[in-house]
Amino acid sequence: MTAKRRAGGHSRKTYQVASAERLQDLCGPHHRYLQTLEVRLEDYALKAESQGGAILLSGKTEGVLIAEAALAEFERKLARGAKPSEMELEGAIEAASAPEGSFTPLKGLKRPITAQTRGQARYLERLVDQTAGLVFGAGPAGTGKTYLAVAAGAAELLQGVRERLIVTRPAVEAGENLGFLPGDLKEKVDPYMLPIWDALRELMGQEQMDRRRAKGEIEVAPLAFMRGRTLKNAFVIVDEAQNATIPQMKMVLTRLGRDSRMVVTGDPGQVDLPGRQPSGLAHALRILQGVEGVDQMRLTAADVVRHDLVGRIIDAYESAESGKEAGADRDKA
């Protein structure tokens, strides 16, 4: 997907690079990264060339400015220890393209919420759009799909727009049968909901979270506990939805009651269902596309916001896997 903004006029800028080694990192093997930059900003007729120890940028003025910001962000990532890669460059382009202030600010939260990438900005726009009764946020881990959904739900609760915030997720590891675990429902469920509680604690503060939880305004429960209920005047989050079966997904989607909204989050590429059962998330994304009142946002690897070390860990694992595959090919030969 190419980045788009209103653009007018043409310009040329020279992006100076301190060393030949850093210039090589920014350009990539055979100038592949510069080619990626041109493709992503092709709507601006951007051209990026390595010249005289620098990078010459030309095209529509706004595209040149985005490219310059993207290169600066890419270079900052490398200075912090990130390994040069297509993914790091994509993230830098997304960050440079993200329109600040393009979504309605979430009010009343202890921590201000800002989009880190263009994809996150579009996702936030959908989360605050009251005309969308059902929003799907699909994408890989680290894209903020669950955290931003919790932030939107907490904001609506704190502003009095909704009376309750309900979070549910399939307990695949326990086969949706938590009865064998010790303790009451809260003690059985909490281990599966730690990421949600951590997010709420950060967004609302411990005291506010505990008080609203005690009053029943914040509720967490396994997906199986949603059966037979009608969820009225609530902001409902269905997390880890890739691990819901098709019948489970249909069940929870039809729990939506009057004056309620629902956000369904998950990673279609990380299905943990036993016996190769089809994912209810992938099925719902397909059959509900284009349905009035349903919005879908697909976040990508370019929207991953993570510690630079994670990128190096992923690269190491990918290199190890590539080496394993190459060794297997040599054995076959």
Side-chain angles (χ1 to χ4, degrees):
M1 182 181 292
T2 57
K4 290 185 179 181
R5 280 186 184 174
R6 187 178 300 170
H10 287 71
S11 64
R12 292 162 62 91
K13 295 196 78 169
T14 301
Y15 185 84
Q16 298 290 344
V17 185
S19 67
E21 182 181 1
R22 181 49 51 84
L23 178 63
Q24 185 176 2
D25 289 340
L26 293 176
C27 293
H30 308 293
H31 290 191
R32 188 171 73 231
Y33 298 159
L34 296 186
Q35 293 167 12
T36 297
L37 196 61
E38 291 179 343
V39 170
R40 288 293 306 277
L41 299 174
E42 63 182 357
D43 290 319
Y44 303 100
L46 181 81
K47 295 297 179 186
E49 305 173 66
S50 175
Q51 282 190 8
I55 298 173
L56 178 62
L57 303 169
S58 62
K60 294 180 180 180
T61 300
E62 184 112 13
V64 170
L65 293 174
I66 293 174
E68 183 182 34
L71 287 171
E73 176 63 21
F74 191 24
E75 191 169 8
R76 279 193 292 270
K77 286 171 173 277
L78 300 183
R80 293 195 297 264
K83 184 176 179 181
S85 68
E86 199 92 21
M87 180 180 288
E88 295 292 356
L89 175 61
E90 289 278 358
I93 295 171
E94 290 291 336
S97 304
E100 291 193 22
S102 63
F103 61 91
T104 304
L106 300 177
K107 299 178 181 178
L109 298 176
K110 184 178 180 181
R111 174 181 175 177
I113 299 300
T114 57
Q116 301 297 308
T117 70
R118 186 179 179 86
Q120 287 189 355
R122 293 198 300 268
Y123 183 40
L124 277 168
E125 287 174 352
R126 287 161 168 78
L127 290 174
V128 300
D129 181 5
Q130 298 298 314
T131 65
L134 174 61
V135 178
F136 286 91
T143 52
K145 56 187 183 295
T146 299
Y147 185 84
L148 294 177
V150 172
E156 291 202 4
L157 178 65
L158 293 172
Q159 293 173 57
V161 177
R162 312 289 164 200
E163 293 180 355
R164 290 183 297 161
L165 172 60
I166 299 173
V167 185
T168 183
R169 66 196 308 187
V172 170
E173 298 86 348
E176 281 291 352
N177 179 12
L178 302 177
F180 69 91
L181 293 174
D184 58 18
L185 177 60
K186 173 183 175 298
E187 293 169 323
K188 295 173 190 288
V189 170
D190 273 359
Y192 298 98
M193 298 297 176
L194 284 177
I196 306 299
W197 293 125
D198 288 344
L200 285 170
R201 189 174 297 109
E202 188 174 323
L203 293 162
M204 304 174 69
Q206 183 74 48
E207 183 180 348
Q208 177 94 250
M209 183 187 76
D210 290 343
R211 184 169 66 253
R212 291 182 179 270
R213 186 180 184 182
K215 293 168 63 177
E217 294 177 6
I218 298 176
E219 177 187 349
V220 295
L223 198 58
F225 284 69
M226 296 294 108
R227 191 175 303 277
R229 300 180 61 184
T230 300
L231 307 175
K232 299 178 182 178
N233 207 339
F235 192 103
V236 185
I237 299 172
V238 183
D239 190 35
E240 298 290 347
Q242 75 276 3
N243 290 328
T245 63
I246 292 175
Q248 284 176 329
M249 182 60 69
K250 179 182 178 183
M251 177 273 292
V252 74
L253 293 179
T254 54
R255 299 306 92 201
L256 201 60
R258 188 179 63 254
D259 299 323
S260 288
R261 298 183 67 215
M262 183 179 288
V263 179
V264 179
T265 67
D267 180 0
Q270 294 291 328
V271 179
D272 299 315
L273 288 168
R276 296 186 178 180
Q277 296 179 74
S279 169
L281 174 61
H283 179 261
L285 287 169
R286 186 173 65 253
I287 68 169
L288 295 178
Q289 189 168 9
V291 173
E292 184 179 356
V294 178
D295 208 341
Q296 298 186 9
M297 181 64 208
R298 293 180 184 264
L299 297 158
T300 69
D303 298 303
V304 173
V305 180
R306 59 188 180 178
H307 193 291
D308 290 327
L309 178 59
V310 177
R312 298 197 292 276
I313 292 171
I314 291 174
D315 288 337
Y317 271 91
E318 289 178 348
S319 296
E321 289 299 319
S322 298
K324 187 186 299 182
E325 291 174 3
D329 290 340
R330 284 195 298 271
D331 293 341
K332 290 179 182 177

